[in-house]
Amino acid sequence: MTAAPGTADGLRTGSPSTGPGDDDWAAAVAAVRGLPADARVLLICHVNPDGDALGSMLGFGLGLRRLGVRRLQATFPGPPEVPEPFRWLPGIDLLVPATEAYPDPDLVICFDAAAESRLGDLVDRLDTAGTAVVLDHHASNTGFGTVRLVDPGAAATSVVAAQLLARLDVPLDAEIAAGLYVALTTDTGSFRFAATTPEVHQLAARLLATGLRPGDISREVFDTRPFGAVRLFGEVLGRSRLEPEAAAGHGLVWTQATLDDLTRHDQRPYVLESLIDSVRCTAEADVACVLKQVGPDEWAVSMRSKGAVDVSAVAVALGGGGHRFAAGFTGRGDAEQVIALIRAELPGALTGSRADVDGCRPSRTG
């Protein structure tokens, strides 16, 4: 595979200070184009994959398949369970359990993981692979991997994936576009969040031009859940707590969902991923948190901010990562102990402003 890198019409390239530079793109293209015919390529996304992680990985994987890569696997750490809203994605056949992933691939490509810890037991592939390329958009990315395509200004990792596909001269088709579009819509909150730029809409237009049906995708991803999940949401939202004095008076709202809650309503953990969107609309709180129990003393914590607090700073301080408006980490102890840790970090993460554009209502001008 030999070809000069192409251009990514309409997609931002970034600069060394804000995103990948020309040398980074060239290195990533060379890593793919230089693969021998029998090369083993392993794609990895983060634990508990969301729409951006899965959509970017599977969409890009289909692009590699179009290039002729035959020995290709996609995987993620933890139980090999794909959340129901994403099981229809094209390229799902690329997925293998982490226990069956190539132990020493020629090339590993990581998607949407801000830190090595997010790769779980698959982190050793960074050392055993010939080359490790990282595609990400988290400002808190720790800088791991051999080739780093990390653009904090990108609305989703799929923006970076789309640009690399363009530089590899892979044309978009409906199957590739489906994963990239799901990734883009989930990480922009259906184009409601502050990262939604003109370039984001231009990319969405190119993806839709392949023949995607956005209404059908929206129903699958956002607007369908079991009745048990509806009952579960009502119960968990009913125990929400508002702390107006937290974050130096900017306010904190939080709730918790336990393993017992899931069992009682016969639901899988993935249904809780969208719960934060209901909590974050609380007018009296800048910061919203949802604690999702994953073990006896372990919680997956999702945090959102309307702008007065940089929740990525809170998450990094507690061993996680993310963005100013959306971040997370793994908390240990009981729920009160985890919230106490968050509460203590909030004053030090104040930004001095509040951006309603990434909250529950549009920004106002004038």
Side-chain angles (χ1 to χ4, degrees), residues 194-271:
T196 304
T197 62
E199 291 79 14
V200 166
H201 284 295
Q202 289 163 13
L203 174 57
R206 288 195 297 279
L207 297 174
L208 292 176
T210 64
L212 299 183
R213 297 169 61 94
D216 292 346
I217 292 175
S218 221
R219 275 189 295 276
E220 289 280 356
V221 175
F222 299 109
D223 300 331
T224 301
R225 63 172 57 100
F227 182 65
V230 174
R231 297 290 300 270
L232 171 62
F233 272 40
E235 184 175 324
V236 175
L237 289 172
R239 67 171 72 117
S240 297
R241 292 167 58 178
L242 176 65
E243 302 182 15
E245 73 287 349
H250 290 281
L252 165 69
V253 61
W254 66 277
T255 190
Q256 64 186 73
T258 67
L259 293 174
D260 285 344
D261 293 331
L262 290 168
T263 300
R264 189 166 54 258
H265 292 280
D266 192 26
Q267 295 301 302
R268 306 299 298 163
Y270 79 83
V271 302

Side-chain angles (χ1 to χ4, degrees), residues 47-48 117-118 290-295 297-303 314-321 327-333 338 341-342:
V47 65
N48 299 322
S117 60
R118 298 284 282 160
V290 173
L291 280 61
K292 295 161 287 188
Q293 190 178 30
V294 295
D297 292 299
E298 185 175 348
W299 305 80
V301 181
S302 296
M303 296 186 294
V314 177
V316 169
L318 298 175
F329 69 97
T330 299
R332 290 179 172 80
V338 174
L341 293 174
I342 295 170

Side-chain angles (χ1 to χ4, degrees), residues 151 247 286 288 294 337:
D151 187 353
D286 182 82
V294 295
Q337 290 172 322

Side-chain angles (χ1 to χ4, degrees), residues 18-358:
T18 61
D22 291 341
D23 289 346
D24 301 311
W25 291 113
V29 168
V32 174
R33 290 292 190 184
L35 288 170
D38 62 345
R40 293 159 301 165
V41 178
L42 180 63
L43 312 180
I44 308 174
C45 68
H46 60 69
V47 65
N48 299 322
D50 56 11
D52 192 18
L54 279 171
S56 297
M57 180 172 70
L58 296 180
F60 191 84
L62 290 175
L64 291 180
R65 184 179 277 174
R66 304 288 188 271
L67 284 175
V69 177
R70 297 193 303 270
R71 303 179 69 184
L72 177 63
Q73 294 180 337
T75 191
F76 51 87
E81 181 180 6
V82 176
E84 183 70 32
F86 308 124
R87 290 179 186 172
W88 60 272
L89 281 173
I92 205 79
D93 59 295
L94 294 172
L95 286 174
V96 300
T99 53
E100 298 177 15
Y102 297 132
D104 52 351
D106 298 283
L107 173 65
V108 63
I109 307 178
C110 301
F111 296 83
D112 205 41
E116 294 170 284
S117 60
R118 298 284 282 160
L119 302 179
D121 292 340
L122 292 164
V123 69
D124 66 326
R125 301 314 195 275
L126 297 175
D127 297 320
T128 60
T131 304
V133 179
V134 174
L135 277 65
D136 189 31
H137 71 128
H138 293 93
S140 61
N141 188 281
T142 58
F144 64 97
T146 312
V147 180
R148 306 176 189 95
L149 301 181
V150 180
D151 187 353
T157 294
S158 65
V159 174
V160 183
Q163 186 164 357
L164 182 54
L165 287 173
R167 287 172 175 265
L168 288 164
D169 298 319
V170 176
L172 293 174
D173 60 28
E175 289 194 331
I176 294 173
L180 300 182
Y181 185 79
V182 165
L184 194 63
T185 55
T186 51
D187 256 32
T188 61
S190 294
F191 309 106
R192 293 179 295 124
F193 296 164
T196 304
T197 62
E199 291 79 14
V200 166
H201 284 295
Q202 289 163 13
L203 174 57
R206 288 195 297 279
L207 297 174
L208 292 176
T210 64
L212 299 183
R213 297 169 61 94
D216 292 346
I217 292 175
S218 221
R219 275 189 295 276
E220 289 280 356
V221 175
F222 299 109
D223 300 331
T224 301
R225 63 172 57 100
F227 182 65
V230 174
R231 297 290 300 270
L232 171 62
F233 272 40
E235 184 175 324
V236 175
L237 289 172
R239 67 171 72 117
S240 297
R241 292 167 58 178
L242 176 65
E243 302 182 15
E245 73 287 349
H250 290 281
L252 165 69
V253 61
W254 66 277
T255 190
Q256 64 186 73
T258 67
L259 293 174
D260 285 344
D261 293 331
L262 290 168
T263 300
R264 189 166 54 258
H265 292 280
D266 192 26
Q267 295 301 302
R268 306 299 298 163
Y270 79 83
V271 302
L272 296 171
E273 292 307 307
S274 61
L275 183 61
I276 187 70
D277 294 323
S278 298
V279 179
R280 71 199 297 267
C281 289
T282 303
E284 297 89 345
D286 182 82
V287 177
C289 296
V290 173
L291 280 61
K292 295 161 287 188
Q293 190 178 30
V294 295
D297 292 299
E298 185 175 348
W299 305 80
V301 181
S302 296
M303 296 186 294
R304 299 293 185 268
S305 168
K306 295 180 180 129
V309 174
D310 179 354
V311 288
S312 71
V314 177
V316 169
L318 298 175
H323 309 280
R324 172 184 168 186
F325 297 108
F329 69 97
T330 299
R332 290 179 172 80
D334 61 34
E336 293 289 348
Q337 290 172 322
V338 174
I339 282 295
L341 293 174
I342 295 170
R343 193 184 294 119
E345 294 291 339
L346 292 177
L350 293 174
T351 66
S353 65
R354 176 163 171 159
D356 283 333
V357 290
D358 206 38

